[in-house]
Amino acid sequence: TTTGNVIITDKNGNVTKVDKTWTFFKDSKGTMRIMAHHSSLPYVPAVGGVTKEEVLAAQNGWGQALVNIATTYDEKGFDAAKAEAEAVLDGGYGYQIAPVLFKPTLTTGDQVFRTTREGALSYFVGGNPKYPSDGGFALKGWRKCEIENAAIFLDGNTGTSVGNVIITDKDGNVTKVDKTWTFLKDADGTVRIMAHHSSLPYLPPSPARITESEVLAAQEGWGKALVNIATT
C-alpha cells in the first residue's frame, strides 16, 4: 500500500496534483494488481471572511503604494514608476478575477470608468495613447496619504468602505477626495480591490457676485426709506 501525490502535466503545460493511495496485490501468477485505488484533489481549507483589520491594512497599503509610485518616478524615472504601478495593480486589484468597478477622480467623457487593467494603469502613470487625457495621477509628487473612514461594512469575504482620502504632495499641497472601496478576499486569502469610486467633494454654488448697480440701488433705497420715515 502506498500513499502520496501524483503530479500530471498535459500537452499545454497545465499541471494537476492529486492525493493518491494504492493497494497492490501479487496474484498466484506473480502479477502485481491494483486492489484499492483512492484519488482526490488536495484539501483546500475554506478562506475566512474579510475582517475590519484586513480592510484597514488594504487601504493603508493602497495609500503607501501611491506614495511609492510617486517617489519612484521622482527618483528613478517613468519606467520604474510604471513597473511599480503594475505591481500594485496585480497585487492589490482584482483585474485577474473580473472587471474592476473603478471610477477614478480625474476622468471624463467615454473614458470615465476604468474596468480594465490597461485603463487603470494609464490613469495612474499615463503614457498610453489610447487614453490621451491621462496625465499620470500617481506621478504628482505624493508624499503622504491619510484615510478617514466614515463607515465600513463587512459581508462574508467582501468589505466596503466609504470616507475620505487626504493626500499631500512634496510641496505641501493637500488634496481631499471622497472614496468608496469594495474589497474581496480571494481564494488564496489575498484582499483585492473590486470596486473603487473616487471623486472630489461637492462644492455648493457660490452666491452670485454683487454688482455696482445693486449697491447703488440699495443706497438709493436706504435714502428713500429715511425720507419716508420722516414724512410719515
Side-chain angles (χ1 to χ4, degrees), residues 1 7 9 25 31 43 57 67 73-74 92 101 120 122 149 157 163 172 185 200 217 225-226:
T1 300
I7 299 96
T9 305
F25 172 74
T31 302
Y43 169 69
V67 172
Y73 176 68
D74 289 342
L101 313 182
S122 178
N149 288 303
N157 63 348
K185 182 185 281 191
L200 294 172
L226 182 65

Side-chain angles (χ1 to χ4, degrees), residues 122-141:
S122 178
Y123 178 72
F124 284 124
V125 300
N128 188 334
K130 294 181 182 178
Y131 301 88
S133 297
D134 288 348
F137 178 78
L139 308 183
K140 298 183 181 296

